[in-house]
Amino acid sequence: MKKSEKIWMDGKLVAWDEANVHVLTHTLHYGLGAFEGIRCYATDGGGSAIFRLGEHTKRFFESAKILQIDIPYSEAEVDKATVDIIKANKLEECYIRSLVFLGDGAMGIFPKDNPVRVALAAWEWGAYLGEDGLSNGIRAKVSSFARHHVNSAMTKSKTTGAYFNSILSKREVVSAGYDEAIMLDTDGYVSEASGENIFMVKNGRIKTTSLTSILKGITRDSVMRIAADLEIEVTEQRFTRDELYTADEVFLTGTAAEVTPVREIDDRKIGAGKRGPITERIQKIYFDAVKGRAPQYESWLTRI
Ligand code: PPE
């Protein structure tokens, strides 16, 4: 990855290489922590804009609430720190990672007084699933690992430790020659991909999975709004892997992955086997929105 200069850590800017923690950091052992991924884009008119900062900060606090972690800052302070870390690194376009974790102190699974620590880093990060994937679509495979059950790792929280499940799925399918893993829930229905939400298009209508065992994606929400504004029907409901196989189009959404078409799943061509027309329309408007070219979505931007 491309290093930046500074990292915001517990209220101070520190040098990238000095943003370190003790090896007995509680979250490192047990995984109770939360994070966010946010993107900032260079806009056409000059200057940069953070995409849906308020929603990301809100979800950061909601994740912490689910995990019973009290973030020792206000939402406004975290918003400001996010802007500050981009400015401190003089980045025009970047990905921002916010992290809240329990520091060292007690060991064991009753971390009563361990300090709650917050860090924010920003760095340049290109297309998550490749530039080619954005225009031509990626090849996905259904993972043999199920997505977390809603009553074990609650998926509305972007919990650090929960991502072992995504990492194992991703590794499994990449080593089999695919680009991304699609995960089924514990009932066997499609849930989401290892780091993205999933949408399918059939006969001009869009379906995305309901909010049971998935992260409530902010890109998902943006895409649902864009589709509604295009008067394309979107429903949130369960669907099965064979519905994906026979869909006209499938695409994934995420801050990192943006809007990425899926051209093949489990060696079955999806639709024409390339980015579909509805995916392309939505993807174009999404990029217009994040780059400040869509006045109707200006309220999504925090210009800096
Ligand atoms: N599901 C999962 C499991 C997930 O990790 C993400 C984001 C999403 C859905 C989409 O959420 P949103 O970004 O709000 O649209 N994944 C983040 C982390 C990726 C990583 O490899 O790290 C991201 O896209 O920032």
Side-chain angles (χ1 to χ4, degrees):
M1 74 185 287
K2 197 159 174 217
K3 280 192 194 178
S4 304
E5 276 178 39
K6 302 277 186 198
I7 288 184
W8 187 100
M9 224 176 164
D10 303 318
K12 290 190 206 74
L13 288 175
V14 299
W16 180 280
D17 288 323
E18 280 155 31
N20 302 318
V21 295
H22 194 274
V23 74
L24 293 185
T25 293
H26 198 274
T27 303
L28 198 53
H29 295 251
Y30 305 110
L32 189 95
F35 69 98
E36 268 307 314
I38 311 170
R39 273 195 193 267
C40 171
Y41 291 88
T43 63
D44 276 16
S48 301
I50 307 174
F51 189 64
R52 304 197 71 174
L53 173 62
E55 286 85 352
H56 280 285
T57 303
K58 200 161 260 115
R59 189 173 64 187
F60 190 49
F61 278 76
E62 285 178 0
S63 294
K65 181 177 190 178
I66 291 169
L67 301 176
Q68 292 188 302
I69 297 175
D70 263 327
I71 297 179
Y73 301 98
S74 65
E75 287 186 30
E77 285 168 326
V78 172
D79 280 347
K80 182 177 178 302
T82 312
V83 173
D84 289 349
I85 194 61
I86 299 168
K87 286 188 175 160
N89 289 299
K90 301 184 186 67
L91 291 162
E92 266 211 310
E93 277 205 333
C94 60
Y95 181 87
I96 305 111
R97 169 55 48 87
S98 333
L99 175 70
V100 57
F101 62 102
L102 302 183
D104 53 306
M107 286 301 280
I109 55 165
F110 190 62
K112 200 163 154 270
D113 300 317
N114 293 46
V116 174
R117 306 190 56 185
V118 178
L120 297 169
W123 65 88
E124 283 175 34
W125 204 2
Y128 186 69
L129 295 167
E131 281 297 335
D132 179 69
L134 283 177
S135 30
N136 298 317
I138 59 151
R139 297 176 60 241
K141 180 166 176 56
V142 173
S143 170
S144 70
F145 295 102
R147 195 72 185 131
H148 294 293
H149 187 276
V150 64
N151 285 328
S152 58
M154 297 162 283
T155 54
K156 301 300 169 297
S157 165
K158 214 163 156 55
T159 306
T160 57
Y163 275 77
F164 82 86
N165 175 247
S166 290
I167 295 170
L168 293 181
S169 310
K170 178 90 179 187
R171 280 191 174 153
E172 177 188 33
V173 306
V174 170
S175 67
Y178 300 85
D179 304 308
E180 185 53 299
I182 293 171
M183 309 190 68
L184 306 180
D185 63 23
T186 46
D187 291 330
Y189 293 88
V190 174
S191 67
E192 59 185 340
S194 73
E196 303 89 14
N197 292 121
I198 189 163
F199 286 76
M200 57 168 279
V201 183
K202 183 78 176 175
N203 299 328
R205 296 198 186 97
I206 298 181
K207 277 203 258 192
T208 190
T209 46
S210 47
L211 285 176
T212 46
S213 59
I214 63 166
L215 183 74
K216 191 170 184 249
I218 291 164
T219 320
R220 174 184 181 275
D221 180 74
S222 309
V223 160
M224 286 170 69
R225 170 74 195 282
I226 291 169
D229 291 349
L230 291 172
E231 294 182 0
I232 301 171
E233 185 188 313
V234 187
T235 52
E236 296 175 74
Q237 63 181 91
R238 276 179 149 179
F239 50 86
T240 54
R241 67 194 287 176
D242 47 1
E243 282 190 82
L244 283 180
Y245 297 160
T246 55
D248 299 327
E249 303 178 34
V250 174
F251 61 90
L252 305 177
T253 65
T255 299
E258 301 163 312
V259 177
T260 298
V262 179
R263 69 181 155 91
E264 198 183 298
I265 300 172
D266 293 347
D267 306 309
R268 286 141 178 103
K269 211 197 262 185
I270 304 304
K274 56 180 192 180
R275 175 173 61 189
I278 291 182
T279 307
E280 188 170 356
R281 265 176 93 190
I282 289 174
Q283 189 190 45
K284 182 177 176 301
I285 298 171
Y286 180 76
F287 281 117
D288 283 346
V290 300
K291 294 185 179 172
R293 297 190 293 252
Q296 70 273 36
Y297 303 122
E298 183 62 33
S299 65
W300 284 344
L301 306 184
T302 300
R303 292 192 180 256
I304 57 171

